[in-house]
C-alpha cells in the first residue's frame, strides 16, 4: 500500500475554503479518480482494525470513534466527500425546504398585516427551483467541512470517490479484503454502512419526466421546470415534509397515501390528537389529502400528466392531473451489495445485527440505515460508534427502542414516549395536560404561544399549535409528550432522555420543578399548575 494512486492528499494541508470547490469538481467529473488520505507505512504500519464501507453518518462517526480509541481505521466512500446522504440529499435539503415552507406559510398567513406584503394574493408563488439551486450552490461547503474535519481534526484515513467491494471474507490470515480504486485493502473487521436508496412503487410510469424523489429533485437536469401541480405518493415524513413545502411555494399539492397520514408503518407512538392537528393544518393550507388510496399508474406520454389511484375500500379509480409526481415511498437498504458474505437479513433486506452491531458473520458489523429500526441520524451515529467500541474491545450494547421523533409540516411536529391511546392501554389512571384544552376550539385559544407563533396568537388565528402531556396519575410519571409548533425540538432531546433514563422515571412534579426560560413552550408552568395534589386533566 505504498504506491500513490488517485490524488494523494496525505500530509498535504487543504484549507477549508478549498475543500468545497474541490468536492464540486469531483462531483461534476467523477472520472477524476479517488481522493486518497492514507498513512504511509513509515507513519503507521499496523493492520487496519476495521474498514468502514460507506462514510455517511454511521461510517464517519464509527471511524472517528475507533481512531479516538487508538485504533486504525480506513473509511471508503463512493462519493468524493464524507457525511453521506444527510448533507447531500436528505436531512439538510429537507431542513432547507421545511424552513422555506415555514417562512412562506408565515408570509401567507400574515399577508397585509403589519409590515407584511400581500403574499397570498399578489406574489402568490415562490420558485422551487430557486430554493433548490440555492441549496446546491452551498452544498460543496458542507461536504468540504466533513473532509477537512475528518482529516485535520479527527485524523481519519480515507479513500473517497471510490466504490468499495468486499472481495475476500476472512482468510487464513484472519483478514477481510476490500477492493476499491483498483487496490485491495485488508482489515481485521468490516463495518458495513452504505445506507439505503429510495424505492419506487411498482406501477407503470415511474420513469416519466417529472417523476422525482428527494434525491432526483436535486438534479437540475431531471427537475428542470417549475412545477405547478404536484401529486405526492406516501404518507410518512418525506411525503408530509416535501408536500408541505410544495404547497407553501404555491404549487398546488395532492397527497395520496395508503395508510392515514402519519399512521404509516415506519412511524410509531403517534398520538391521534397530534396527528389530526397536523393533518387538519395541512388541509387548511389547501393540501388535498386522500388516504386509503393506492397508486395504479403514473400517467403521461413523455412527461407526467397525472396519477391514477384506487380507493382501497371501494376499488373505484380516480385520476388527478399534475405536472410533477413526488415519490415519498420509502427506502430499501443496499444489503444486496454484500450478498457474497451470506449475512442474515430481515424480510425487507435490512442486515440483522446483535446489540453490539455484529452481523451473523463474526468480524462483520453493520450500522445506520442498513440495519432495522428508525432511519434517523442518531441511530446511524450511535450504531457506528457502538460497532467501533466493540471492535476496540469495549463491550457495548445499543438498542434503539425509545427515541424522540419529529417531522416538519409547516410546523415542527415532535413527540416522545407513549401516545395517549397507548398509555390508556397500559395504565388505568391516565391524566392529560393539553393546550388548547379539551372542549376549546383552536380559534378560541391563543395558546400554546412561544417563539415563532407570537403573531399567530396576536391575530387570533388559531394557528399557534398543540401541546400535550400524558401522565400516569398514580405514579405521577410522565409517559409521553407531543408538540406541534416551533422551537421545542432541542428540548425534546433532553425531555426524552429524562422520561426514559431518569431513575424511576421523570414525574410531573419534577417537570414542575424545571426553571423555565419564559416565554417558552409551556410544559413546566402547566405541570406546576397541577401538581399541588392529585393530578387531574388540564
Ligand atoms: C428526505 C430525508 C430527510 C431526512 N431528514 C432527516 C432529519 O432531519 N433528521 C434525521 O435524523 N434523519 C433524517 N433522515 C435520515 C438520515 O438521512 C439517515 O438516517 C442517515 O443519513 C443514514 O446514514 P447512513 O450512514 O446509514 O447512510 P448514508 O448517509 O446514506 O451513507 C451511506 C454512504 O455509503 C456510500 N456508499 C454507497 N455504496 C457504496 C459502495 N459500494 N462503496 C463505498 N461507499 C458506498 C454512499 O456514498 C454514502 O456516503 C432523512 C432521510 C431522508 C430520506
Ligand atoms: N427526521 C426526519 O425529519 C426525516 C425526514 C424524512 C425521512 N426520514 C427518514 O427516512 C426514511 C424514509 O422516509 P419516508 O417517509 O420516505 O419512508 P417511510 O416512512 O417508509 O414511508 C413510506 C410511505 O410510502 C408508502 N408506500 C410504500 N410503498 C408504497 C407503494 N408501493 N405504493 C404506495 N405507497 C407506498 C408507505 O405506505 P404504508 O405505510 O401504508 O405502507 C408510507 O406512507 C424513514 O425511515 C424516515 O424516518 C426522516
Amino acid at each position: 500500500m505504498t504506491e500513490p494512486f488517485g490524488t494523494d492528499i496525505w500530509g498535504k494541508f487543504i484549507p477549508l475554503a478549498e475543500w468545497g470547490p474541490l468536492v464540486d469538481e469531483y462531483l461534476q467529473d467523477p472520472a477524476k479518480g479517488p481522493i486518497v488520505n492514507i498513512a504511509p507505512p513509515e507513519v503507521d504500519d499496523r493492520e487496519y482494525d476495521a474498514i468502514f464501507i460507506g462514510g455517511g453518518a454511521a461510517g464517519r462517526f464509527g471511524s472517528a470513534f475507533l481512531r479516538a480509541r487508538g485504533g486504525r481505521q480506513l473509511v471508503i466512500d463512493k462519493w468524493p466527500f464524507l457525511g453521506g446522504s444527510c448533507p447531500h440529499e436528505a436531512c439538510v435539503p429537507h431542513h432547507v425546504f421545511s424552513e422555506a415552507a415555514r417562512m412562506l406559510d408565515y408570509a401567507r398567513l400574515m399577508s397585509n398585516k403589519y409590515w407584511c406584503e400581500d403574499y397570498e394574493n399578489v406574489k402568490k408563488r415562490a420558485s422551487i427551483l430557486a430554493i433548490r439551486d440555492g441549496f446546491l450552490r452551498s452544498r460543496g461547503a458542507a461536504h468540504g467541512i466533513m473532509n477537512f474535519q475528518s482529516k485535520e481534526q479527527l485524523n481519519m484515513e480515507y479513500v473517497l470517490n471510490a466504490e468499495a467491494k468486499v472481495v475476500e471474507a476472512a482468510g487464513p490470515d484472519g483478514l477481510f479484503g476490500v477492493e476499491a480504486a483498483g487496490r485491495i485493502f485488508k482489515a481485521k473487521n468490516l463495518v458495513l454502512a452504505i445506507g439505503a436508496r429510495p424505492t419506487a412503487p411498482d406501477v407503470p410510469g415511474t420513469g416519466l419526466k417529472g417523476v422525482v424523489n428527494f434525491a432526483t429533485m436535486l438534479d437540475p437536469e431531471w427537475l428542470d421546470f417549475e412545477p405547478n401541480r404536484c401529486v405526492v405518493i406516501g404518507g410518512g415524513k418525506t411525503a408530509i415534509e416535501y408536500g408541505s413545502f410544495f404547497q407553501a411555494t404555491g404549487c398546488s399539492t395532492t397527497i395520496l397515501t395508503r395508510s392515514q397520514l402519519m399512521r404509516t408503518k415506519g412511524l410509531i407512538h403517534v398520538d391521534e390528537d397530534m396527528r389530526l392537528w397536523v393533518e387538519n393544518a395541512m388541509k387548511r393550507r389547501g393540501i388535498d389529502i386522500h388516504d386509503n388510496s393506492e397508486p395504479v399508474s403514473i400517467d403521461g406520454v413523455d412527461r407526467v400528466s397525472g396519477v391514477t389511484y384506487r380507493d382501497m375500500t371501494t376499488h373505484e379509480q380516480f385520476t388527478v392531473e399534475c405536472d410533477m409526481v413526488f415519490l415519498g415511498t420509502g427506502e430499501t437498504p443496499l444489503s444486496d451489495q454484500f450478498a457474497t458474505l451470506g449475512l442474515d437479513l430481515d424480510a425487507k433486506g435490512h442486515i440483522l445485527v446483535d446489540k453490539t452491531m455484529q452481523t451473523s458473520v463474526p468480524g462483520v458489523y453493520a450500522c445506520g440505515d442498513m440495519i432495522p429500526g428508525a432511519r434517523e441520524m442518531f441511530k446511524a451515529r450511535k450504531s457506528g460508534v457502538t460497532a467501533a467500541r466493540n471492535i476496540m474491545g469495549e463491550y457495548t450494547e445499543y438498542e434503539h427502542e425509545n427515541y424522540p421523533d419529529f417531522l416538519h409540516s409547516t410546523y415542527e411536529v415532535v413527540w416522545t414516549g407513549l401516545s395517549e391511546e397507548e398509555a390508556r392501554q397500559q395504565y388505568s389512571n391516565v391524566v392529560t395536560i393539553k393546550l388548547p384544552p379539551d372542549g376549546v376550539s383552536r380559534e378560541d385559544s391563543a395558546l400554546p404561544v412561544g417563539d415563532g407563533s407570537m403573531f399567530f396568537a396576536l391575530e387570533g388565528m388559531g394557528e399557534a399549535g398543540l401541546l400535550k402531556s400524558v401522565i400516569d396519575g398514580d405514579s405521577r410519571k410522565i409517559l409521553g409528550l407531543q408538540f406541534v409548533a416551533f422551537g421545542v425540538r432541542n428540548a425534546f432531546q433532553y425531555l426524552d432522555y429524562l422520561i426514559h433514563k431518569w431513575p424511576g422515571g421523570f414525574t410531573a412534579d419534577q417537570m414542575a420543578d424545571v426553571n423555565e426560560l419564559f416565554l417558552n413552550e409551556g410544559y413546566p408552568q402547566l405541570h406546576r399548575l397541577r401538581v399541588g395534589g392529585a393530578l387531574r386533566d388540564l
Side-chain angles (χ1 to χ4, degrees):
M1 298 206 314
T2 48
E3 285 174 30
F5 65 112
T7 308
D8 183 2
I9 59 168
W10 177 262
K12 295 179 188 129
F13 179 76
I14 301 174
L16 179 55
E18 285 178 23
W19 262 118
L22 193 66
V23 169
D24 280 340
E25 268 176 43
Y26 276 83
L27 278 171
Q28 269 152 30
D29 180 12
K32 279 169 76 76
I35 300 171
V36 183
N37 185 46
I38 291 185
E42 60 274 21
V43 176
D44 196 342
D45 63 356
R46 294 174 295 163
E47 297 288 358
Y48 287 114
D49 293 291
I51 293 177
F52 290 76
I53 304 184
R60 194 176 94 94
F61 272 70
S63 282
F65 219 87
L66 194 140
R67 271 283 151 186
R69 284 286 191 271
R72 187 173 188 206
Q73 57 62 239
L74 176 66
V75 58
I76 306 174
D77 202 289
K78 73 176 169 57
W79 278 332
F81 53 86
L82 292 166
S85 56
C86 173
H88 192 60
E89 59 187 15
C91 327
V92 179
H94 137 223
H95 281 256
V96 169
F97 298 143
S98 293
E99 191 162 320
R102 177 187 172 174
M103 290 162 81
L104 287 163
D105 187 52
Y106 206 87
R108 289 185 190 287
L109 289 173
M110 295 301 291
S111 274
N112 277 330
K113 298 187 168 81
Y114 302 95
W115 63 90
C116 305
E117 291 171 13
D118 189 347
Y119 197 91
E120 185 68 2
N121 301 305
V122 179
K123 179 94 170 130
K124 291 185 182 165
R125 279 299 314 254
S127 163
I128 292 171
L129 297 190
I131 299 166
R132 188 269 316 267
D133 293 345
F135 163 69
L136 291 179
R137 275 195 302 279
S138 67
R139 184 168 68 173
H143 293 332
I145 288 172
M146 302 285 169
N147 290 3
F148 175 87
Q149 184 192 61
S150 303
K151 178 172 179 292
E152 306 301 339
Q153 298 178 293
L154 302 172
N155 306 322
M156 284 162 48
E157 291 183 56
Y158 53 70
V159 177
L160 305 179
N161 209 30
E163 212 160 305
K165 200 169 149 212
V166 180
V167 286
E168 212 177 303
D173 56 0
L175 299 176
F176 294 94
V178 176
E179 195 257 309
R183 301 282 303 265
I184 307 247
F185 299 93
K186 297 259 184 168
K188 295 178 207 163
N189 298 279
L190 288 182
V191 184
L192 312 179
I194 64 171
R197 296 307 298 156
T199 318
D202 188 16
V203 296
T206 51
L208 286 171
K209 177 88 180 163
V211 181
V212 300
N213 59 36
F214 66 86
T216 55
M217 73 166 281
L218 299 175
D219 180 348
E221 284 175 23
W222 192 242
L223 184 64
D224 58 0
F225 65 98
E226 199 66 63
N228 288 309
R229 186 79 189 80
C230 174
V231 172
V232 173
I233 303 178
K237 292 184 179 186
T238 307
I240 294 171
E241 286 164 349
Y242 285 70
S244 297
F245 166 60
F246 298 139
Q247 180 73 22
T249 64
C251 170
S252 172
T253 298
T254 298
I255 294 182
L256 301 177
T257 171
R258 298 193 297 208
S259 316
Q260 284 181 316
L261 212 66
M262 287 184 78
R263 285 267 171 251
T264 56
K265 294 182 187 77
L267 291 176
I268 54 174
H269 302 313
V270 170
D271 185 274
E272 185 62 1
D273 280 340
M274 175 178 71
R275 194 193 76 74
L276 281 173
W277 212 97
V278 174
E279 186 177 55
N280 289 333
M282 289 171 72
K283 286 180 174 167
R284 284 199 296 282
R285 283 150 177 84
I287 302 180
D288 192 20
I289 300 171
H290 300 264
D291 57 26
N292 201 34
S293 301
E294 64 181 357
V296 174
S297 59
I298 299 177
D299 311 323
V301 182
D302 295 323
R303 53 190 313 131
V304 66
S305 60
V307 177
T308 301
Y309 68 97
R310 181 189 297 123
D311 179 300
M312 290 163 70
T313 311
T314 64
H315 302 292
E316 252 185 296
Q317 290 195 11
F318 306 90
T319 298
V320 194
E321 289 183 2
C322 62
D323 57 5
M324 179 170 79
V325 172
F326 179 88
L327 302 175
T329 42
E331 295 182 275
T332 308
L334 289 167
S335 52
D336 54 352
Q337 293 194 23
F338 302 115
T340 51
L341 285 169
L343 305 169
D344 287 350
L345 308 178
D346 73 7
K348 291 186 172 164
H350 296 102
I351 300 175
L352 293 174
V353 289
D354 64 17
K355 290 175 188 172
T356 70
M357 302 301 118
Q358 186 159 221
T359 67
S360 53
V361 175
V364 179
Y365 294 75
C367 47
D369 282 1
M370 305 211 75
I371 63 172
R375 293 206 186 105
E376 302 290 337
M377 289 295 281
F378 72 86
K379 188 195 95 186
R381 291 167 169 171
K382 288 178 79 170
S383 57
V385 165
T386 303
R389 287 185 127 134
N390 284 292
I391 288 167
M392 292 309 293
E394 183 191 339
Y395 183 80
T396 313
E397 294 188 348
Y398 172 48
E399 279 180 282
H400 40 273
E401 281 175 340
N402 296 315
Y403 52 89
D405 212 351
F406 84 100
L407 57 80
H408 289 104
S409 54
T410 45
Y411 292 84
E412 274 176 25
V413 184
V414 203
W415 65 101
T416 180
L418 300 180
S419 67
E420 182 179 342
E421 305 82 58
E422 290 167 332
R424 289 199 186 283
Q425 280 165 17
Q426 296 176 35
Y427 297 84
S428 58
N429 180 18
V430 171
V431 173
T432 61
I433 290 178
K434 282 194 211 177
L435 278 178
D438 273 341
V440 175
S441 76
R442 61 177 180 85
E443 290 87 349
D444 293 334
S445 170
L447 303 177
V449 64
D451 294 340
S453 55
M454 297 303 288
F455 282 86
F456 292 168
L458 242 60
E459 292 301 302
M461 288 172 173
E463 294 292 353
L466 170 97
L467 172 158
K468 185 167 173 182
S469 175
V470 180
I471 304 161
D472 172 22
D474 296 334
S475 68
R476 303 173 78 88
K477 274 191 243 175
I478 296 176
L479 304 173
L481 297 168
Q482 295 87 31
F483 203 98
V484 184
F486 309 103
V488 290
R489 192 152 51 87
N490 286 348
F492 265 64
Q493 299 173 141
Y494 309 110
L495 289 169
D496 168 80
Y497 196 85
L498 292 172
I499 288 177
H500 292 115
K501 299 257 169 100
W502 191 268
F506 187 59
T507 65
D509 309 84
Q510 287 165 317
M511 178 73 97
D513 199 32
V514 167
N515 296 326
E516 66 268 36
L517 289 172
F518 192 78
L519 199 147
N520 73 330
E521 87 291 334
Y523 284 112
Q525 59 261 41
L526 280 169
H527 287 76
R528 198 171 297 142
L529 287 171
R530 264 296 177 242
V531 296
L535 286 167
R536 280 184 291 121
D537 291 339
L538 182 68

